Amino acid sequence: MNEGNRVPPGAGTEEAAGAGPTPDGDFELAKPARPTPLHEPDPYSTPPYGEPGPWAPAPPVQHPGTTPTHGTPLPPPAGPHGPTPAFPGAPAPASPAPAVTGGPATAPAPPSAPLPETAPLQGLTAIPEPVVAGAPIPVPPVAPGPAQDPWGRYDPWGRGPLQQAGAVPDGERRNGRRGRRLLVVWTLAVALVASGIGGVVGAYVEREGLGGEVTLPQAGSVPAGRAPDSVAGIAARALPSVVTLHVSGSGEEGTGTGFVLDDRGHILTNNHVVAAAASGGKISATFSDGDSVKATVVGRDSGYDLAVVQVHGVRGLTPLTLGDSDGVRVGDPVVAIGAPFDLANTVTAGIISAKERPITAGGEEGDGSDVSYVDALQTDAPINPGNSGGPLLDSRAHVIGINSAIRSADGGSDTEGGQAGSIGLGFAIPVNQARRVAEELINDGHATHPVIGVTLDMGYTGDGARIDDHSANGGPAVIEGGPGARAGLAPGDLITRVDGERVHTGEELIVKVRAHRPGDRLRLTVEHGGAEREVSLVLGTSEQN
């Protein structure tokens, strides 16, 4: 045996180099061993398992469980020849060459684990060149440039290399802007169409409804309070003091109105309201709360068309406050309360349309004893039959007049107002005059009338009030010792003015005189025989009703 040719143990063994002993027992140099295929050879030599081979170990598979966050490079796994490339196409790190002992042959690398059949890598191909055992696997060169993201170009569907994370091609950037513009345009178009459809549907629903039960809108509750000077405020304060009078007697029945003067139960109304009960008739007074009590006549006066009745056994009466009729001006707002056509507690409103309107009412007796002469307040507040005797109130709920007459549509003036109803011409007795008369009726049972002591020619058709030639009973027209006689008045004198105000008829002169109290001084303008003079006189007193 040639000891010099012996191979050192472990350097060329069968396990390492694939050599075996020779027949003579000597050892020869190891020959390169052919790599064992991963599968049994195909007897039909069908590629890829048939001849000629070769087989190269595949790179290790990267499993999802160990995959780092997108964009983070993986450390190269160790292989039989050192670290392997992280992904195909990346350069393999340098590894030290294996030590060779006793010749050019090198120990073959142990076979790699079989590649799992359930997780093949897309895009990997076998290296076409045969690989000698122990030789490094050739890797295509990589162009120099910035660091590559191992996941940036990975495409699991094998559609080719992908762009690196964060890099957007110009074409895609333009496509993105175009897509956003299209999205905005479509959004606006859809909004416009939706709003148009909504408007049409809303209009249809508003006009036609959706069917079913209809619920109508209603305003919210109105505050309970009202301003004191409003119509509602005035009515709220005055109504408890207004009464409705039902009168019967002498075969007649009627309805009128009155209001409380004091807490003793005195109620002021018109004479023509209670005249039917003057001779044993009945009067009942109904208050705004519905309570009715019996009333009796205290006193009445046909010349002023005023009367006072009284109720008994009624507590908690609230009298109305009397105002000042001399301070009233045309255009002032007023409220009338009464029972027109027996409709109790009726409230109407209007204004003062005129002052000092001379009116006469009554005259049913034929002798003139029941004719009333009133220097009235005119109002357009609706007044109808049944309002007679009711209060005419100012904005402070003060009584400024007693509603007494209306102008009828037939052109007449009637204390009952006729049946034609209101035409906007109502007349009220001024409260300053009514107050004096009411006091006299309560205190004395009758009222006094101021007079000038002359008899007027009521048939005179000229302008002014003419003194008659004689009285109705044939006596002198100017009463001896009376106010007119003392002032120098004579039969045939024509009185044209009272305190500078023009009078056109005898009725107007009576109205002007009765608007004063007995004892008041008047200044008269008198004409006689074409001459004009002024006289001054003090009014006398007459107790004739």
Side-chain angles (χ1 to χ4, degrees):
M1 293 176 51
N2 187 2
E3 296 291 332
N5 295 329
R6 183 176 297 177
V7 179
T13 62
E14 181 179 357
E15 292 80 1
T22 60
D24 59 358
D26 293 335
F27 288 86
E28 297 179 351
L29 292 177
K31 298 180 180 180
R34 184 174 183 176
T36 303
L38 296 179
H39 300 277
E40 293 295 331
D42 184 3
Y44 301 100
S45 301
T46 302
Y49 305 112
E51 291 295 335
W55 298 271
V61 179
Q62 296 184 6
H63 297 281
T66 60
T67 303
T69 305
H70 178 67
T72 304
L74 283 174
H81 303 287
T84 58
F87 57 91
S95 60
V100 178
T101 305
T106 59
S112 300
L115 184 66
E117 298 180 2
T118 58
L121 287 179
Q122 297 287 342
L124 296 179
T125 57
I127 300 174
E129 295 82 5
V131 178
V132 180
I137 300 174
V139 178
V142 179
Q148 299 290 328
D149 183 357
W151 287 98
R153 298 194 304 173
Y154 172 69
D155 185 359
W157 291 277
R159 295 179 298 181
L162 302 178
Q163 295 293 330
Q164 292 183 348
V168 180
D170 292 340
E172 293 186 10
R173 188 176 297 109
R174 287 192 297 271
N175 291 338
R177 287 197 295 270
R178 185 180 301 108
R180 286 192 293 272
R181 285 196 296 269
L182 290 176
L183 178 61
V184 172
V185 170
W186 274 107
T187 302
L188 293 176
V190 171
L192 291 175
V193 173
S195 62
I197 295 175
V200 173
V201 173
Y204 176 81
V205 170
E206 182 179 2
R207 183 177 66 255
E208 302 294 339
L210 294 177
E213 185 178 355
V214 176
T215 301
L216 300 178
Q218 185 177 14
S221 59
V222 179
R226 293 291 186 275
D229 59 349
S230 66
V231 174
I234 295 170
R237 286 183 284 171
L239 277 172
S241 302
V242 179
V243 299
T244 300
L245 299 174
H246 294 91
V247 181
S248 62
S250 304
E252 299 179 4
E253 292 183 355
T255 301
T257 308
F259 61 91
V260 177
L261 288 173
D262 55 27
D263 56 2
R264 296 167 60 182
H266 290 111
I267 295 173
L268 182 62
T269 186
N270 284 136
N271 174 68
H272 71 264
V273 171
V274 300
S279 302
K282 295 180 179 179
I283 304 174
S284 67
T286 303
F287 290 85
S288 61
D289 60 1
D291 292 341
S292 295
V293 295
K294 182 181 179 180
T296 58
V297 176
V298 174
R300 63 191 185 91
D301 186 277
S302 60
Y304 289 109
D305 193 22
L306 292 172
V308 174
V309 300
Q310 187 175 16
V311 296
H312 298 279
V314 180
R315 298 180 180 275
L317 295 176
T318 304
L320 286 179
T321 303
L322 305 182
D324 181 12
S325 57
D326 291 341
V328 174
R329 297 293 180 267
V330 174
D332 284 349
V334 290
V335 173
I337 301 179
F341 299 102
D342 204 14
L343 299 173
N345 305 320
T346 297
V347 178
T348 56
I351 63 169
I352 296 294
S353 52
K355 288 182 60 177
E356 300 177 353
R357 186 74 77 189
I359 64 167
T360 58
E364 286 80 6
E365 298 297 332
D367 58 359
S369 60
D370 62 337
V371 176
S372 60
Y373 300 90
V374 180
D375 194 21
L377 298 172
Q378 180 179 314
T379 178
D380 66 347
I383 296 175
N384 292 281
N387 276 105
S388 294
L392 186 68
L393 306 163
D394 63 11
S395 60
R396 296 173 294 175
H398 295 168
V399 180
I400 58 173
I402 294 84
N403 302 317
S404 299
I406 64 172
R407 178 67 64 176
S408 301
D410 59 3
S413 179
D414 195 342
T415 55
E416 292 293 337
Q419 296 301 314
S422 175
I423 60 172
L425 294 173
F427 305 96
I429 301 170
V431 74
N432 289 3
Q433 180 178 325
R435 178 175 176 270
R436 177 185 68 83
V437 174
E439 289 175 348
E440 292 179 349
L441 293 176
I442 293 172
N443 296 326
D444 304 327
H446 60 83
T448 60
H449 297 177
V451 296
I452 61 176
V454 300
T455 301
L456 298 176
D457 182 4
M458 303 305 292
Y460 178 71
T461 59
D463 189 26
R466 180 181 180 272
I467 300 176
D468 206 345
D469 296 329
H470 51 77
S471 66
N473 57 8
V478 177
I479 300 175
E480 294 180 2
R486 292 193 299 268
L489 295 179
D493 283 350
L494 186 64
I495 302 174
T496 58
R497 295 180 183 274
V498 176
D499 290 338
E501 295 183 4
R502 187 77 183 185
V503 294
H504 302 282
T505 64
E507 288 83 357
E508 288 189 20
L509 178 60
I510 297 174
V511 169
K512 293 296 184 181
V513 171
R514 290 193 177 181
H516 294 79
R517 293 172 176 268
D520 290 346
R521 181 174 292 275
L522 295 181
R523 179 170 50 87
L524 305 178
T525 301
V526 181
E527 292 180 3
H528 189 86
E532 183 179 272
R533 70 184 189 278
E534 286 190 357
V535 298
S536 178
L537 58 82
V538 176
L539 294 175
T541 302
S542 171
E543 295 183 359
Q544 181 182 1
N545 288 336

